[in-house]
Amino acid sequence: MTTTPPDNHLPVTEPPVNSETAPYWEAAAEGRLALPRCEQCGYVIWYPRQFCPECSSTEIGWFDASGRGTVYSFTVTRKSWGEWGQAAPFVIAYVELAEGPRVLTNIVGVDPDDERLTIGMEVTAVWDRTPEGQGILRFTPL
Amino acid sequence: MPATGHTGIRGAAHIAGAYEHPRREIPDRTVAQIHTEVAAGALADAGLQFSDVDAYFCAGDAPGFGPLSMADYWGLELRWFDTTEVGGSSYLAHVGHAAAAVAAGKCQVALVTLAGRPRTGGRRPGGSGRIPDAPEIGFENQFGLSIPANYALAARRHMYEFGTTSAQLAEIKVAASIHASHNPHAFLPREVTVEEVLESPMVADPLHRLDCCVITDGGGAVVVVSPEVAADLDRTTVKVLGHGEAPKHTTGGRPDLTFTGARWSGPAAFAEAGVTPEDIDYVSIYDSFTITVLETLEDLGFCPKGEGGRFVSDGALVAPHGRLPFNTDGGGLCNNHPANRGGMTKIIEAVRQLRGEANPGTQVPDCRLALAHGTGGALATRMGSATLILGQEDA
């Protein structure tokens, strides 16, 4: 998967890593999108947690996803507050991953007014870096 | 699994008092004082006093330790308290819970209050992504997701699937503004046109500034009492006929942004009340944004899913003679949105309509049955939905 994001000016914040989400963030730091999957029923879970909301199992494994997906919905934020206000306009989206889950993210590397920006647009994962080297998942058009 | 042996809350309790704070900017009061003013107002409306209260309900807007702090502040002796915190839907849930508690013999006079100062006190609306230890926090707070953007994601998807237009959403704001023009307390008392909505600045497309509710200080309160207490009061009361509540969430990462939890809370409330959408004379629909109203109307069964845009386009929501008059106080879109929570004012305006005390020009003739609906949280992530069916005293 692509790991170098297009230039963007979106704020990055250090994520709150905990015992439930550490495998995700360890992969993210390496530019890999790791997804949790229920060992009992196979459901691919989002957001990451040590519990399957489909079958109530707590046996959760991890696998590397393709990083490919399509835009399920999006909005161009024109007005916001603080550092995000200064970054506006920017694109927030739900991307439906090829593996099933819909993840909140930003679409970068495309002008917010570009006509290509539509529901159904194919995108691929890119990683912005925090000062401490953590990866923040965003997507860019294929 | 089905519940057994229950009889529901139909007629088990009455709303005997309701009061909305008249101010929209309150820099000179503490949050506890505003809770006090609305509590006193609702109790006086009912003909009751603080010393009559034996149950208290509040949500996250209550200061300090919620019912413990406020019972202390007011010197209440309580038999029952409830701090159900599901954002703007909390207060509708509280009324349902109060009716259930009254039905169970746990209390007789339940006070529910809401108050806050987001306008002059500097508290902006925010979702659970701002709450420490929310399990989703690291996966939703990295992307600049404001509350308007959250609802915009839902609006865009609804447009994509059903052809809903910005002009149709604007019709909801127009209807609210017509109602607000009759309300001397409304924050935005001026009638607006569809064109004005569409020409207002884009906040998070497709939502314009005028698709968004206002941010105001304020508050409100209601008093829920047993039928025995209601019978002893001089004031006309409103009967609680049905209640439903449900969370809607992201389904393990498969959120469907085209519907709300009203899909579940609505049918439960209608079933308990023994009525259908066709029977309803007036609706108070949570209106944080225009899209909130549109999806909720569909989910409550006032029109088929996807037909909301057409349903609201011909003045259907405008009182007094539209097919389904809504939010006759001007709602959160124009009147007020105290504490960034519009649930309480939804109940209060439904009570006014059923008592025949809505603002002149917006009173629905012979309003016998009303529905009030609250939405807490946010449409594109997780929300609480709560529905009440209310009726005239003899309903």
Side-chain angles (χ1 to χ4, degrees):
Chain A
M1 81 183 59
T2 311
T3 56
T4 306
D7 281 343
N8 66 72
H9 304 286
L10 299 184
V12 291
T13 53
E14 298 299 334
V17 181
N18 60 42
S19 58
E20 287 192 80
T21 61
Y24 173 87
W25 293 111
E26 286 164 12
E30 298 170 2
R32 291 183 292 113
L33 174 55
L35 295 179
R37 181 166 53 200
C38 177
E39 303 277 20
Q40 290 294 322
C41 75
Y43 197 76
V44 180
I45 300 159
W46 191 260
Y47 57 90
R49 72 200 81 165
Q50 289 293 321
F51 187 87
C52 175
E54 185 71 7
C55 76
S56 307
S57 168
T58 55
E59 294 178 38
I60 308 298
W62 296 82
F63 71 103
D64 282 354
S66 65
R68 302 285 284 270
T70 57
V71 172
Y72 170 75
S73 193
F74 71 97
T75 177
V76 180
T77 294
R78 309 274 175 185
K79 178 174 168 50
S80 193
W81 293 295
E83 59 184 356
W84 285 99
Q86 290 169 13
F90 60 93
V91 183
I92 299 172
Y94 262 116
V95 165
E96 182 171 305
L97 301 176
E99 292 79 10
R102 294 169 184 157
V103 303
L104 268 174
T105 189
N106 301 113
I107 307 296
V108 296
V110 59
D111 187 287
D113 295 315
D114 192 316
E115 289 180 359
R116 289 181 300 157
L117 186 60
T118 54
I119 288 176
M121 181 177 68
E122 295 186 62
V123 293
T124 190
V126 294
W127 298 91
D128 271 331
R129 291 281 149 219
T130 67
E132 293 181 16
Q134 191 46 266
I136 302 301
L137 178 64
R138 309 200 205 276
F139 287 80
T140 196
L142 266 180
Chain B
M1 57 195 77
T4 55
H6 78 111
T7 54
I9 61 163
R10 191 185 198 288
H14 293 236
I15 297 177
Y19 181 79
E20 176 188 2
H21 204 287
R23 295 171 65 187
R24 303 296 176 256
E25 294 188 334
I26 316 176
D28 56 332
R29 298 281 194 280
T30 66
V31 172
Q33 280 180 304
I34 305 171
H35 276 275
T36 301
E37 291 179 353
V38 296
L43 288 165
D45 183 49
L48 293 166
Q49 304 186 14
F50 277 101
S51 56
D52 296 315
V53 174
D54 64 355
Y56 176 59
F57 294 68
C58 63
D61 55 279
F65 213 152
L68 306 188
S69 291
M70 293 314 296
D72 186 7
Y73 186 101
W74 290 326
L76 298 182
E77 293 177 22
L78 301 177
R79 294 197 286 152
W80 190 268
F81 41 66
D82 180 327
T83 57
T84 298
E85 162 58 347
V86 282
S89 62
S90 301
Y91 318 92
L92 296 103
H94 291 164
V95 170
H97 299 179
V102 168
K106 294 290 189 178
C107 59
Q108 286 213 302
V109 177
L111 172 67
V112 189
T113 66
L114 158 84
R117 298 176 47 219
R119 184 156 196 91
T120 61
R123 281 192 64 193
R124 293 197 181 96
S128 64
R130 296 155 70 109
I131 302 171
D133 293 332
E136 69 276 7
I137 185 169
F139 306 96
E140 295 181 6
N141 72 342
Q142 308 276 359
F143 312 111
L145 182 68
S146 64
I147 294 290
N150 189 309
Y151 284 74
L153 288 168
R156 169 95 60 198
R157 187 69 195 186
H158 199 280
M159 290 177 166
Y160 175 80
E161 292 201 21
F162 303 115
T164 307
T165 67
S166 288
Q168 290 171 334
L169 291 175
E171 293 277 5
I172 295 166
K173 176 74 165 195
V174 169
S177 77
I178 291 169
H179 298 154
S181 72
H182 297 275
N183 182 350
H185 301 299
F187 186 73
L188 298 179
R190 192 176 64 81
E191 201 174 318
V192 300
T193 64
V194 168
E195 290 69 31
E196 283 178 273
V197 177
L198 300 183
E199 288 167 8
S200 67
M202 199 66 90
V203 175
D205 69 1
L207 297 181
H208 306 78
R209 184 173 185 187
L210 293 184
D211 285 298
C212 306
C213 67
V214 298
I215 294 178
T216 67
D217 300 342
V222 293
V223 181
V224 180
V225 304
S226 66
E228 294 73 27
V229 170
D232 284 343
L233 298 173
D234 293 333
R235 191 74 162 100
T236 301
T237 66
V238 161
K239 193 181 278 185
V240 180
L241 300 176
H243 151 260
E245 62 187 43
K248 188 218 169 193
H249 50 69
T250 57
T251 326
R254 279 75 167 172
D256 182 334
L257 306 190
T258 63
F259 70 90
T260 74
R263 168 177 289 198
W264 301 298
S265 67
F270 280 117
E272 188 164 61
V275 300
T276 68
E278 291 72 33
D279 298 320
I280 300 296
D281 299 308
Y282 163 81
V283 291
S284 285
I285 303 291
Y286 203 90
D287 57 345
S288 44
F289 299 88
T290 50
I291 184 65
T292 320
V293 176
L294 190 127
E295 289 199 6
T296 303
L297 286 171
E298 295 173 346
D299 295 330
L300 291 172
F302 290 105
C303 64
K305 179 51 66 180
E307 297 286 325
R310 280 174 285 282
F311 181 80
V312 302
S313 287
D314 59 356
L317 304 181
V318 180
H321 300 301
R323 281 198 311 285
L324 188 67
F326 99 123
N327 297 9
T328 39
D329 58 343
L333 289 169
C334 297
N335 177 23
N336 65 346
H337 201 236
N340 297 321
R341 292 150 175 257
M344 177 62 76
T345 42
K346 296 295 163 292
I347 305 166
I348 292 170
E349 184 64 6
V351 169
R352 288 195 192 105
Q353 280 287 350
L354 291 166
R355 284 171 161 177
E357 296 174 357
N359 289 310
T362 66
Q363 176 64 49
V364 175
D366 192 28
C367 182
R368 295 189 54 78
L369 284 175
L371 177 148
H373 181 85
T375 308
L379 243 56
T381 45
R382 55 199 60 78
M383 73 183 80
S385 294
T387 309
L388 291 175
I389 310 281
L390 305 172
Q392 284 187 349
E393 209 160 39
D394 59 352

